[in-house]
Amino acid sequence: MSISRRTRVCVYQWSVGCKQQCARLDCSKLVPCSESLQSIALDEHLTEDKCRVTALCALRGELYIGTAWGCVIVADATSLRPLTVFRPYEEDVRVIIPLHPHKAEEAPMIATFGHGYRPLLQRYTPHSSSSTNTHNGYYCLLWQTQHWLPD
């Protein structure tokens, strides 16, 4: 069996009962909301290779998807409707790990591992040309898994 290039950018939901596809999320159609006009390269072509799915994790009704372009996509696990997309890494998201709370009233967290940390604050504030917008190396970031949508 071969996998086409197109399937590497899509996440599919299959029904075990009726043995058919129920939903599909095409990661090549999503742009991170964590960018400003200064930080996003409008002339940069968003190729399918950059939108390739590199990590996946399901936790409490949400699906967390990492891409080769450094994006983390949060989607509703039932419908695959994207809730938010942000780009904390310059390159690929390698791993997404669920971190379950010790107490039931606490929110779970996820840990993401990726290459080239991109600080959010520097993307929205003016900076000198000598400063860098990214930090090389691999980074682990911890995220609370609540309030992805405004109340």
Side-chain angles (χ1 to χ4, degrees):
M1 176 166 80
S2 65
I3 298 174
S4 72
R5 291 183 65 77
R6 190 79 192 139
T7 59
R8 292 191 269 172
V9 300
C10 293
V11 175
Y12 297 91
Q13 181 187 69
W14 292 89
S15 169
V16 177
C18 55
K19 297 182 179 153
Q20 64 182 358
Q21 178 184 324
C22 300
R24 178 180 75 109
L25 176 62
D26 186 345
C27 297
S28 69
K29 307 287 187 209
L30 303 174
V31 177
C33 65
S34 61
E35 302 300 317
S36 70
L37 289 177
Q38 295 171 343
S39 69
I40 194 165
L42 296 177
D43 59 343
E44 185 176 2
H45 298 288
L46 197 56
T47 63
E48 285 189 3
D49 193 49
K50 289 182 180 179
C51 300
R52 181 174 37 91
V53 174
T54 57
L56 188 70
C57 171
L59 180 65
R60 289 196 179 173
E62 292 171 337
L63 191 62
Y64 299 89
I65 304 161
T67 71
W69 195 40
C71 291
V72 175
I73 301 164
V74 182
D76 178 77
T78 306
S79 65
L80 293 186
R81 181 178 58 90
L83 303 176
T84 191
V85 181
F86 52 97
R87 189 176 172 217
Y89 300 104
E90 186 67 28
E91 296 179 25
D92 58 332
V93 178
R94 292 283 175 110
V95 179
I96 302 174
I97 299 173
L99 303 172
H100 300 280
H102 295 288
K103 299 177 183 173
E105 63 274 2
E106 293 176 350
M109 297 178 75
I110 60 168
T112 60
F113 294 86
H115 188 263
Y117 173 63
R118 303 175 73 239
L120 181 63
L121 187 58
Q122 288 182 2
R123 286 181 258 164
Y124 288 94
T125 59
H127 56 279
S128 68
S129 59
S130 63
S131 68
T132 179
N133 285 338
T134 62
H135 302 283
N136 288 327
Y138 285 93
Y139 287 84
C140 174
L141 301 175
L142 299 176
W143 307 91
Q144 287 190 340
T145 62
Q146 59 187 10
H147 309 301
W148 292 116
L149 294 174
D151 292 332

